[in-house]
């Protein structure tokens, strides 16, 4: 009877340790990167607010020659950009034409302060406070005239100020959802079509709510709706182009840029002249700032001042189309390269 060999049992091998020098370096890089991101976010939100205030804000003055010239010399500087007008009517017309934010009409009996709350609520408050100070120095009275106020149904402009984040999300959400539902190169044009159609529908819906629901807007409905649609399309098409070209990392980078830089620098609730000049310029060339300025022009000033922000948004739409076109051609080239190698080899006779 032959002996059976004893079964051999292999000792379980110990798993390789998950930590090491490489993992430590990777963890340190991630932690430092996240810290830098949070710090940059804080800078984007805090620094413009800390240094906010009138920055070369255009204002007008009218009245007796000697008095107006003295006031112009006193105010003209880093905070105020002063222009002299012939009379109060010319000053009021300049405010409606958006040449100035407001101004002062000087007389022997007091000071008339002209403001445009719809153009810049914080600027109007600053002008009112300055007018009261000037009147007190002359032991006179300051009378405030709001030339372009917010609508009576929304005198504080709450609905207008609240439109900032919906404008950004209106560009971000369709890009994310359409990319998830229609992935791949073959559905790229479907995503583009969906983004354009969504922008048109959402622009019309948001305008209807703000104009007829809350009474926050007073301009031409269709003009305002087209402006909002352009702003959403500028964001969504850029996001879709970034995702198609470099993947979800590109979409995430674009969304972070608009949320944490474009939103605080948009000047939607204050007007661009309330931000430092460099920050203000940057904010107005990003879609959130341009969308807010276009909405303000169409909703309260009959389209005066809409050309600049409309061109900025059109440029972002063009950028999105270019990114999509590049991604489409790259995907088509990749498909043609893969097709021959994927063809079935002929069977032997």
């Amino acid at each position: 009877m032959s002996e059976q060999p004893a079964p051999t049992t292999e000792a379980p091998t110990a798993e390789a340790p998950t930590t090491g020098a490489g993992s430590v370096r990777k963890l340190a890089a991630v932690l430092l990167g996240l810290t830098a991101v949070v710090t940059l976010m804080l800078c984007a939100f805090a620094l413009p607010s800390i240094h906010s205030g009138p920055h070369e804000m255009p204002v007008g003055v009218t009245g007796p020659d000697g008095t107006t010239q003295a006031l112009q010399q006193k105010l003209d500087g880093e905070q105020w950009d002063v222009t002299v007008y012939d009379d109060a009517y010319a000053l009021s017309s300049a405010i409606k034409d958006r040449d100035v934010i407001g101004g002062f009409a000087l007389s022997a009996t007091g000071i008339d302060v002209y403001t445009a709350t719809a153009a810049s609520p914080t600027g109007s408050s600053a002008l009112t406070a300055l007018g009261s100070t000037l009147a007190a120095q002359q032991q006179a009275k300051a009378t405030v005239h709001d030339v372009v106020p917010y609508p009576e149904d929304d005198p504080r402009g709450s609905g207008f100020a609240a439109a900032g984040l919906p404008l950004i999300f209106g560009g971000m959400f369709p890009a994310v959802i359409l990319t998830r539902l229609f992935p791949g190169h073959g559905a790229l044009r479907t995503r583009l079509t969906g983004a354009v159609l969504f922008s048109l529908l959402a622009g019309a819906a948001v305008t209807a709510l703000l104009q007829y629901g809350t009474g926050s807007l007073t301009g031409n409905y269709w003009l305002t709706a087209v402006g909002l649609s352009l702003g959403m399309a500028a964001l969504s098409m850029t996001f879709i182009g970034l995702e198609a070209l470099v993947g979800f990392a590109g979409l995430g980078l674009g969304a972070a840029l608009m949320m944490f830089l474009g939103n605080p620098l948009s000047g939607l609730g204050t007007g661009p002249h309330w931000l430092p000049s460099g920050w203000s310029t940057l904010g107005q060339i990003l879609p959130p700032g341009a969308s807010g300025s276009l909405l303000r022009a169409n909703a309260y000033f009959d389209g005066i001042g809409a050309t600049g922000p409309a061109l900025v948004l059109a440029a972002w739409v063009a950028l999105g189309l270019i990114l999509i076109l590049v991604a489409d051609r790259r995907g088509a080239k990749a498909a043609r390269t893969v097709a021959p190698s994927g063809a079935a080899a002929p069977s032997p006779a």
Side-chain angles (χ1 to χ4, degrees):
M1 187 172 181
S2 60
E3 295 182 357
Q4 299 292 331
T8 58
T9 58
E10 297 181 357
T13 59
E15 294 185 359
T18 59
T19 60
S23 298
V24 171
R25 286 194 297 268
K26 184 177 181 180
L27 177 61
V30 170
L31 294 178
L32 290 175
L34 291 175
T35 303
V37 169
V38 173
T39 304
L40 289 175
M41 286 169 52
L42 177 62
C43 291
F45 277 92
L47 289 180
S49 299
I50 293 173
H51 299 287
S52 63
H55 290 84
E56 297 182 352
M57 185 169 287
V59 297
V61 296
T62 184
D65 291 339
T67 308
T68 55
Q69 290 176 0
L71 183 60
Q72 182 182 27
Q73 293 176 359
K74 179 179 180 180
L75 297 181
D76 221 354
E78 295 182 358
Q79 291 187 325
W80 309 102
D81 183 11
V82 182
T83 302
V84 177
Y85 291 92
D86 293 334
D87 51 34
Y89 177 81
L91 174 59
S92 180
S93 298
I95 294 172
K96 294 177 181 178
D97 292 338
R98 306 195 71 185
D99 294 328
V100 293
I101 297 294
F104 308 102
L106 310 177
S107 67
T109 58
I111 296 178
D112 288 292
V113 182
Y114 290 84
T115 64
T117 306
S120 175
T122 50
S124 297
S125 299
L127 282 174
T128 301
L130 179 57
S132 299
T133 301
L134 294 174
Q137 293 174 355
Q138 300 177 7
Q139 296 182 349
K141 180 181 179 182
T143 304
V144 179
H145 309 273
D146 199 346
V147 179
V148 188
Y150 283 122
E152 293 182 0
D153 292 336
D154 188 9
R156 297 181 180 178
S158 301
F160 177 83
L165 285 179
L167 286 174
I168 297 177
F169 290 140
M172 186 189 310
F173 286 168
V176 174
I177 294 172
L178 290 171
T179 300
R180 287 295 188 184
L181 294 179
F182 304 99
H185 168 259
L188 181 57
R189 297 182 182 181
T190 302
R191 298 199 294 275
L192 173 60
T193 303
V196 173
L197 293 177
F198 171 82
S199 299
L200 293 173
L201 292 173
V206 171
T207 304
L209 175 62
L210 291 176
Q211 187 146 340
Y212 303 118
T214 63
S216 302
L217 309 179
T218 59
N220 180 276
Y221 168 79
W222 292 110
L223 184 63
T224 305
V226 169
L228 283 176
S229 298
L230 181 61
M232 293 184 189
L235 285 168
S236 61
M237 292 173 66
T238 301
F239 290 156
I240 288 176
L242 286 172
E243 189 281 330
L245 201 59
V246 297
F248 258 84
L251 195 156
L253 178 62
L257 177 67
M258 298 308 167
M259 280 288 296
F260 302 124
L261 196 61
N263 182 47
L265 299 182
S266 65
L268 191 66
T270 62
H273 290 289
W274 200 252
L275 295 171
S277 57
W279 292 105
S280 173
T281 302
L282 177 59
Q284 292 304 300
I285 62 176
L286 293 175
S291 297
S293 295
L294 183 58
L295 176 60
R296 191 188 307 275
N298 291 334
Y300 305 118
F301 293 92
D302 295 326
I304 297 175
T307 303
L311 290 175
V312 170
L313 294 175
W316 281 94
V317 169
L319 174 63
L321 286 174
I322 291 172
L323 294 175
I324 292 171
L325 179 61
V326 172
D328 183 53
R329 291 189 174 183
R330 189 180 67 177
K333 182 178 180 181
R336 288 194 301 268
T337 304
V338 172
S341 61
S347 58

